[in-house]
Amino acid sequence: MRQFVCIGHDVPTDPDFSLDDLAGGAGRLDALCRSITASFVTSHGIREDVRTHLVVQDELTITFDGSELRRLNPDERSTAALVRTALEHRDEAIGALPAEPSPGIEVYRRGFEETLAEVADGTVVQLHEDGDAVVDVGVDGLENPVFVLSDHRDFTDAEEQVLEDAVDRRLRLGPELLHADQAITVAHHYLDTEGYERF
């Protein structure tokens, strides 16, 4: 299982936003939708062994499970529509029980720290420009990885403190800074090829 935790600092918790203004009125949901899509979509299918968790303003977490996910298409607008539908059901999430607006999507009333604690049964990896080179760690050091990424903003001080306590590894994927969706693609490629050893 591979998991990705993506923090959306500015994504509205209210579903009343336009699918025509994802970069503005929806708090850069366009970039986060690219990350969600990159975590699942292959040329002709969906990665079933992936879960991606979108943390919205440290209040809600929308979890996408590839083994059950339906109607995820490789475009920002349709992914944003799934996020908006999930937010429409946020009031149905009570305590630890999620709302289930559609197959493979659950909405929880929990923020970043609670989400990270819930999924941290694998190797928690913060992708960071100052981390160790992933090739120096190897795939053996990335069993059941949980990659943690921020949106267009840096991690807040509070998030960095949570990561300080939870992270097993701090890694960089290459010499250039990447957008989150690009980092997800590179991480998948690194693991798919067993550390660039199998093609």
Side-chain angles (χ1 to χ4, degrees):
M1 174 65 66
R2 299 174 193 173
Q3 298 190 75
F4 299 91
V5 177
C6 301
I7 300 177
H9 293 103
D10 301 322
V11 174
T13 58
D14 189 305
D16 187 24
F17 58 83
S18 172
L19 295 178
D20 296 323
D21 188 22
L22 299 178
R28 289 312 313 267
L29 185 55
D30 59 325
L32 291 159
C33 287
R34 287 194 293 273
S35 294
I36 294 166
T37 302
S39 64
F40 290 107
V41 175
T42 61
S43 181
H44 295 290
I46 295 285
R47 292 179 184 268
E48 295 185 1
D49 60 343
V50 171
R51 284 194 194 113
T52 297
H53 313 272
L54 173 60
V55 181
V56 179
Q57 290 196 29
D58 204 26
E59 293 179 28
L60 301 169
T61 296
I62 303 170
T63 295
F64 299 81
D65 187 333
S67 66
E68 300 177 20
L69 195 55
R70 303 292 178 267
R71 297 185 301 278
L72 180 68
N73 298 306
D75 67 280
E76 296 166 17
R77 187 182 174 91
S78 65
T79 302
L82 292 175
V83 171
R84 189 169 68 177
T85 298
L87 291 173
E88 289 170 353
H89 292 265
R90 68 194 184 283
D91 291 340
E92 298 169 22
I94 301 171
L97 297 175
E100 299 179 11
S102 58
I105 299 178
E106 296 177 328
V107 183
Y108 293 87
R109 289 197 169 277
R110 60 183 180 214
F112 177 53
E113 185 172 9
E114 297 85 2
T115 296
L116 205 53
E118 187 69 28
V119 302
D121 53 352
T123 304
V124 179
V125 178
Q126 181 185 9
L127 294 177
H128 196 281
E129 61 188 286
D130 296 326
D132 298 324
V134 69
V135 292
D136 293 338
V137 173
V139 293
D140 292 339
L142 295 173
E143 187 173 352
N144 294 317
V146 180
F147 295 99
V148 184
L149 308 98
S150 187
D151 55 10
H152 62 292
R153 292 174 42 193
D154 291 336
F155 292 107
T156 66
D157 290 343
E159 290 161 355
E160 287 284 8
Q161 185 58 55
V162 170
L163 289 166
E164 187 71 28
D165 297 334
V167 163
D168 297 304
R169 297 194 177 277
R170 200 174 194 210
L171 300 178
R172 60 186 159 84
L173 298 173
E176 299 292 336
L177 295 178
L178 301 172
H179 289 178
D181 61 309
Q182 296 169 327
I184 289 170
T185 299
V186 172
H188 270 317
H189 183 61
Y190 183 75
L191 295 171
D192 288 346
T193 59
E194 297 177 6
Y196 307 131
E197 296 291 330
R198 180 179 65 85
F199 283 85

